[in-house]
Amino acid sequence: MNRLLKKEIASNTIMFVALPLSILIYSVIMQSGPYLPFMFAAFMGAALPASSVDMDDKSGWSRFAVSSGIPRKTMVDAKFMLTLVTMSVCQAVAFLGAMLIVLITGCEFSIDDALLTIVLSVCLGLMLSSAALYIGYRFKGVAIFVVILILGFIVTVMLFGMQRILGIFSDSIAATAAVCVAFLAVTALLYILTLRTVRTRDF
Amino acid sequence: MGDFIVKGLRKTYGDFSLEIPELVFRRGFVTGVVGDNGAGKTTLMRCMTGAALPEEGSVDPGSPLPAGAVFDECPFPQEMRARQLSSIFSSMFDGWDDQRFRGMLKSFGIDEGKKVKEYSRGMRMKAQVAVALSHPTGILVLDEPTAGMDPAAREEFLDCIRDYMLDESSCVAISSHITSDIEKIADYLVFLKDGKVIIDGETSEILSRYGVLHAPRDSDICGSGIVRRRTGPHGCDYLVEGLEEFSAAHPELKADPVTLEELMILISKGEEA
């Protein structure tokens, strides 16, 4: 197991409670359909690893870990593992949110559509997290990125309607698969770029 | 295990450049790194631990073991309690000694149930020391560890380092602005100014080599041995190199042995005589 994963999870326990709670609350408040919580979870899930890089830099944890002989790759891998854990937790909570919306509004809920949305959301979330991690390590300005991310999400929802966007993908498995592969390819590329950045930067 | 050797190191940040031809941190001894703000102490420490990557040169730790690092700011997650820290470090470090960690916390008077954010400045530094000393390390790198500590806490901290040095294979590099601490603990001294090593040697030898001559403000003393002068509001201080020879050559001038603080001030703020 990654030597830093325990620290990553333990030091973000508050966020692990706050993020799922906010997913539930926003899902119910917005009530834009039962698939929205999954996409919302993807955005929220990306915020945690991003902010944890920022916190590590500010507190001096990264410098301490590297100085204490922890390989730089271990540090990057721990953040990507944190991303996976966060994404899983957020998607599980999003499912609860979706069920709540169905209960409240009595709208239709298709498991097939939900699965497609989850896959799409996870891939999108992984790409966003990777981008946030890369930017966090490369430019040390992740807080701004997170704000843009959230504002961008709100604007997207308001202007286009999340349900319509999801509708395009949920109608076509091939389109969803192509988009997911593209998201994962970008994630892989960003992982390599993050590793290169962390191997050559000072802490 | 061999000595910790820094060779041909160069690290640049904007206009500042740290250039170290060679520095040896001997096993069994404490080496103090002193100098003004911006002299390059922290940069050197960061290069030694691998946190900063030099453009040129090599760092040979002389041991396969990692460094134990203590910085001026406590890096531990603020919401955590000491017992949680121990659990994290047990998965982070090979050979983590939980008993030793808890024992040190107890001797430092740190409540295991308290959160890091509730620690005082001294407790934060001590917690870092406890972590650094609770797993096998090749060198202990301490960057301004006593900053902000009261005298009693500083003495307690120095005792810790003395205990650590009972093992003759131990090696400590410590930087501090509190020169009295360095004078008490360091066997060797490295004096940095503007990124360059200007004095490097045994502490006792350096302090006995230099002397200080206190004279009235309008005095103008010159002669062999006087290397720097600093005029202050209440007088003029001269740094004398080769104290014995100078005293023999100028019996009318009484030069006193220099303290590390006087040496630092005269070298960094004084002008060439």
Side-chain angles (χ1 to χ4, degrees):
Chain A
M1 198 180 84
N2 187 293
R3 289 200 267 173
L4 290 175
L5 187 59
K6 208 172 186 178
K7 176 264 164 189
E8 295 296 349
I9 292 172
S11 62
N12 288 298
T13 40
I14 293 175
M15 291 292 273
F16 271 117
V17 176
L19 278 181
L21 258 180
S22 66
I23 291 169
L24 273 181
I25 293 166
Y26 280 106
S27 301
V28 173
I29 290 173
M30 293 178 86
Q31 289 190 15
S32 305
Y35 308 115
L36 176 69
F38 300 112
M39 293 304 265
F40 190 63
F43 285 90
M44 295 304 273
L48 175 57
S51 68
S52 84
V53 170
D54 211 22
M55 284 192 313
D56 283 359
D57 265 354
K58 279 184 184 145
S59 67
W61 173 268
S62 307
R63 186 176 57 163
F64 166 75
V66 172
S67 295
S68 305
I70 301 296
R72 290 167 183 240
K73 184 178 181 296
T74 305
M75 213 159 71
V76 173
D77 289 349
K79 292 291 179 205
F80 275 84
M81 285 181 192
L82 176 68
T83 297
L84 286 174
V85 173
T86 314
M87 212 54 73
S88 311
V89 171
C90 288
Q91 288 300 327
V93 175
F95 192 81
L96 275 177
M99 291 298 105
L100 271 176
I101 291 171
V102 171
L103 272 177
I104 295 167
T105 62
C107 63
E108 250 184 69
F109 182 76
S110 148
I111 285 288
D112 288 347
D113 286 350
L115 281 175
L116 275 178
T117 315
I118 289 171
V119 171
L120 189 67
S121 307
V122 168
C123 293
L124 174 67
L126 288 176
M127 187 188 71
L128 287 173
S129 302
S130 312
L133 287 175
Y134 172 66
I135 290 171
Y137 280 122
R138 179 72 179 79
F139 301 107
K140 301 183 183 176
V142 90
I144 296 164
F145 180 75
V146 172
V147 170
I148 293 170
L149 198 75
I150 292 166
L151 281 179
F153 170 64
I154 293 167
V155 169
T156 311
V157 170
M158 286 169 69
L159 289 181
F160 304 109
M162 191 54 91
Q163 204 67 28
R164 271 185 64 195
I165 297 170
L166 292 177
I168 296 166
F169 291 109
S170 60
D171 288 345
S172 163
I173 292 177
T176 310
V179 171
C180 287
V181 169
F183 283 162
L184 291 177
V186 176
T187 303
L189 179 69
L190 286 165
Y191 171 73
I192 293 165
L193 286 174
T194 310
L195 265 184
R196 284 177 67 173
T197 299
V198 170
R199 276 184 180 142
T200 53
R201 75 164 257 189
D202 293 336
F203 286 99
Chain B
M1 285 201 277
D3 292 337
F4 191 107
I5 301 169
V6 176
K7 219 172 197 171
L9 183 131
R10 190 164 68 86
K11 178 72 189 170
T12 310
Y13 288 112
D15 294 340
F16 173 79
S17 180
L18 175 73
E19 284 165 22
I20 309 278
E22 185 173 276
L23 263 184
V24 178
F25 294 83
R26 291 162 181 83
R27 293 225 167 261
F29 296 99
V30 176
T31 303
V33 180
V34 292
D36 281 351
N37 286 331
K41 303 185 296 294
T42 298
T43 305
L44 173 61
M45 297 289 191
R46 288 170 68 200
C47 288
M48 285 171 68
T49 59
L53 303 166
E55 287 112 39
E56 280 175 28
S58 64
V59 174
D60 175 9
S63 156
L65 296 171
V70 174
F71 298 111
D72 56 345
E73 288 297 332
C74 182
F76 306 146
Q78 298 290 300
E79 290 296 328
M80 282 196 193
R81 298 168 204 280
R83 61 174 88 95
Q84 288 173 293
L85 287 178
S86 183
S87 154
I88 284 169
F89 292 132
S90 65
S91 54
M92 230 175 118
F93 298 124
D94 296 328
W96 175 257
D97 189 339
D98 183 57
Q99 291 297 320
R100 184 173 163 80
F101 179 65
R102 285 171 181 235
M104 288 186 77
L105 289 182
K106 202 174 175 187
S107 71
F108 287 153
I110 299 176
D111 179 359
E112 280 188 40
K114 254 190 176 179
K115 288 182 178 176
V116 172
K117 69 177 181 187
E118 294 165 348
Y119 292 178
S120 65
R121 164 100 194 158
M123 283 160 87
R124 285 175 190 211
M125 302 313 288
K126 285 177 193 171
Q128 282 196 78
V129 174
V131 171
L133 298 184
S134 298
H135 65 101
T137 51
I139 185 171
L140 203 54
V141 177
L142 313 163
D143 189 15
E144 299 287 350
T146 52
M149 282 192 196
D150 62 51
R154 286 197 343 249
E155 201 50 49
E156 218 176 335
F157 173 82
L158 295 180
D159 282 340
C160 262
I161 306 303
R162 289 183 190 110
D163 284 347
Y164 176 73
M165 291 310 298
L166 291 175
D167 175 0
E168 285 184 2
S169 66
S170 302
C171 183
V172 172
I174 178 171
S175 81
S176 179
H177 281 119
I178 304 170
T179 48
S180 57
D181 290 345
I182 297 285
E183 233 176 305
K184 279 181 198 166
I185 196 114
D187 305 294
Y188 287 86
L189 267 185
V190 174
F191 202 124
L192 289 175
K193 191 183 179 191
D194 300 329
K196 313 265 186 306
V197 176
I198 51 169
I199 298 175
D200 169 24
E202 252 182 89
T203 308
S204 55
E205 191 274 321
I206 290 170
L207 293 179
S208 62
R209 193 196 322 158
Y210 289 95
V212 64
L213 182 66
H214 304 285
R217 197 169 189 274
D218 55 357
S219 64
D220 186 20
I221 302 168
C222 46
S224 63
I226 293 183
V227 285
R228 296 190 87 82
R229 64 174 278 167
R230 180 171 183 264
T231 309
H234 307 295
C236 188
D237 291 338
Y238 295 86
L239 183 66
V240 173
E241 189 172 3
L243 182 59
E244 275 183 34
E245 297 87 329
F246 181 84
S247 299
H250 304 278
E252 74 284 4
L253 300 170
K254 185 166 175 351
D256 300 316
V258 74
T259 64
L260 183 55
E261 187 159 320
E262 286 170 328
L263 183 65
M264 261 186 79
I265 293 169
L266 279 160
I267 285 181
S268 56
K269 303 287 176 211
E271 57 195 44
E272 266 184 50

